[in-house]
Amino acid sequence: MDTNQYMTTTTAKKSSLLQFAPVMLCFFAMGFVDLVGTASNYVQKDLGLTDAQANLFPSLVFFWFLIFSVPTGMLMNKIGRKRTVLISLAVTALSLALPMFGDNYTIMLLSFSFLGIGNAIMQTSLNPLVTNLISGDKLASTLTFGQFVKAIASFLAPIIAAWGATTLMPTFGLGWRVLFVIYAAVSLLSVAALAATPIEEERPDKASGIRECVRLLGRPFILLCFIGIMCHVGIDVGTNTTAPKIIMERLALPLEEAGFATSVYFIFRTLGCFLGAFILRAMSPKIFFGISVLMMVAAMVMLFVCDTLGAIYVALGLIGFGNSNIFSVVFSQALIASPAEKNEVSGLMIMGLFGGTVFPLAMGYAADAAGQAGAVAVMTLGVIYLLYYTLKIRKA
């Protein structure tokens, strides 16, 4: 390689890294949506809500995925993916600023609503933005690495909230809401970093409408992927919200201690995303997906029958690791199946995050009727579907 070729290659690598880092920071901001499980438990404690009432908060967050995902796919066709991501980050920063002015029921409803809107826009636009930086054969592993970065934010949320609740309340009056302050600042940093990053995007071949997007659900495999995303996020949000309640119900621990169960889940989800980025480069997505789902099957059985802290932590770890790569595999399978309609498919797949509304609501009513075992039963239905989806994954 001559000097000019070496300098060109080195410059390209630096350019790629400078583009990749701000995009990964956006994935970190994407993880802010997972604070909803931790925050809803603290709001439930502060306001004395029932499980069904408290589960309205995560359900409200993910309700907006049903409304905004497909229109966001159309918006990307008009203004581009990068600008759409910037809008999502601004809305996210707004949502996180609201609880600084109080934590009454109305303010928290508004905060979670804007958090859901911002995250729906972000998840729809950020994943296809990655395709402008990474080639198709590395897409699944790169999206998994993005989910690893996202999981770091999810893992830190309950730790920051507990720290704020136990150390900051007497001094600053923020308490657990310091979590919102910190994540709002990171959102603003993400806006600045991405805005300063040049990313060349391919222009869509055609403009699309809502009818054209929704019509893609008529393709059997796309529909299977859509339901798979619903089940994945339902299990994710359900575990995030229900894990501390299981421990409080069976071991009578306070929320500040039981809340660590959420961190256990996210520790293993973070580990799963990190390892999955490498495993998916060497193993068939179908095989890895199947192993992941079987881990969740074992976890659901344990959550039904176990009543010791160690066993519950093991079950949560299995769910965290098993569920960590489901999204990346399903999403990449859908994009590969319809390469000419990436924006539209992305909108549909992110609409599937509406499962985060359906599952917590059903789990809340089931828990009020039959205890936390009822909530686990609802999640188990999602795991059974993913077991079926495993058979339909196309071999890489």
Side-chain angles (χ1 to χ4, degrees):
M1 180 182 295
D2 61 32
T3 303
N4 289 336
Q5 288 178 314
Y6 176 79
M7 293 180 63
T8 300
T9 302
T10 303
T11 301
K13 288 182 178 179
K14 288 182 178 179
S15 177
S16 177
L17 180 61
L18 290 175
Q19 292 174 317
F20 193 69
V23 169
M24 287 300 110
L25 183 60
C26 293
F27 271 101
F28 185 83
M30 186 192 291
F32 297 168
V33 73
D34 289 324
L35 66 80
V36 65
T38 296
S40 63
N41 284 326
Y42 279 100
V43 175
Q44 180 179 13
K45 178 183 177 183
D46 291 346
L47 303 181
L49 306 177
T50 67
D51 279 347
Q53 290 172 325
N55 281 14
L56 175 63
F57 290 113
S59 295
L60 182 62
V61 168
F62 289 94
F63 167 77
W64 298 108
F65 285 83
L66 178 67
I67 305 299
F68 279 88
S69 298
V70 169
T72 298
M74 298 162 55
L75 179 64
M76 283 191 291
N77 286 338
K78 294 183 178 180
I79 68 173
R81 296 165 185 168
K82 176 183 168 181
R83 289 179 181 175
T84 307
V85 173
L86 289 172
I87 292 173
S88 73
L89 290 168
V91 176
T92 299
L94 171 63
S95 74
L96 295 168
L98 287 175
M100 300 178 197
F101 303 99
D103 61 351
N104 64 62
Y105 196 74
T106 301
I107 286 179
M108 297 311 298
L109 284 176
L110 288 173
S111 174
F112 286 154
S113 291
F114 281 116
L115 181 62
I117 292 169
N119 206 260
I121 298 172
M122 190 185 309
Q123 297 220 38
T124 305
S125 53
L126 184 56
N127 287 295
L129 181 64
V130 173
T131 65
N132 295 116
L133 304 177
I134 303 297
S135 59
D137 59 332
K138 299 295 189 294
L139 182 58
S141 61
T142 302
L143 290 178
T144 290
F145 185 78
Q147 292 297 306
F148 161 67
V149 176
K150 173 179 178 286
I152 295 175
S154 306
F155 156 67
L156 291 176
I159 296 175
I160 296 173
W163 169 66
T166 56
T167 64
L168 292 180
M169 179 64 80
T171 306
F172 299 103
L174 284 173
W176 64 269
R177 285 178 290 131
V178 71
L179 170 65
F180 287 78
V181 178
I182 294 172
Y183 279 2
V186 177
S187 296
L188 294 176
L189 176 62
S190 301
V191 171
L194 184 62
T197 303
I199 298 178
E200 184 178 349
E201 303 180 37
E202 72 267 18
R203 299 299 301 171
D205 295 331
K206 56 182 177 62
S208 59
I210 293 178
R211 180 178 298 179
E212 287 76 14
C213 292
V214 176
R215 188 177 295 166
L216 290 174
L217 289 175
R219 301 180 186 178
F221 187 71
I222 297 297
L223 179 60
L224 286 172
C225 292
F226 176 80
I227 300 174
I229 294 289
M230 286 191 68
C231 292
H232 155 73
V233 74
I235 296 165
D236 182 59
V237 178
T239 304
N240 184 4
T241 305
T242 303
K245 297 177 183 178
I246 293 174
I247 291 176
M248 288 189 288
E249 178 187 82
R250 299 181 187 176
L251 301 176
L253 293 179
L255 176 59
E256 288 76 13
E257 295 181 35
F260 183 68
T262 304
S263 293
V264 171
Y265 168 70
F266 283 122
I267 286 171
F268 281 90
R269 201 182 81 169
T270 303
L271 178 64
C273 288
F274 177 74
L275 294 178
F278 301 99
I279 294 173
L280 282 168
R281 291 174 180 263
M283 182 182 292
S284 162
K286 188 182 184 76
I287 296 175
F288 188 46
F289 192 95
I291 294 172
S292 299
V293 175
L294 288 176
M295 293 174 72
M296 288 193 283
V297 170
M300 293 300 154
V301 173
M302 293 181 68
L303 289 181
F304 274 118
V305 302
C306 294
D307 57 3
T308 63
L309 188 61
I312 293 173
Y313 280 170
V314 170
L316 295 175
L318 288 172
I319 299 173
F321 195 96
N323 206 31
S324 60
N325 297 284
I326 299 299
F327 177 87
S328 300
V329 173
V330 175
F331 194 93
S332 62
Q333 286 271 312
L335 289 181
I336 292 171
S338 300
E341 297 134 333
K342 290 179 181 177
N343 289 350
E344 293 84 351
V345 169
S346 177
L348 282 176
M349 292 303 106
I350 301 305
M351 186 195 292
L353 270 67
F354 178 66
T357 293
V358 176
F359 274 70
L361 278 178
M363 291 169 65
Y365 285 111
D368 285 341
Q372 298 307 320
V376 174
V378 175
M379 288 195 294
T380 302
L381 294 177
V383 175
I384 291 172
Y385 176 83
L386 292 177
L387 199 59
Y388 167 75
Y389 179 84
T390 305
L391 305 175
K392 303 297 181 179
I393 293 179
R394 301 176 180 183
K395 293 182 179 180

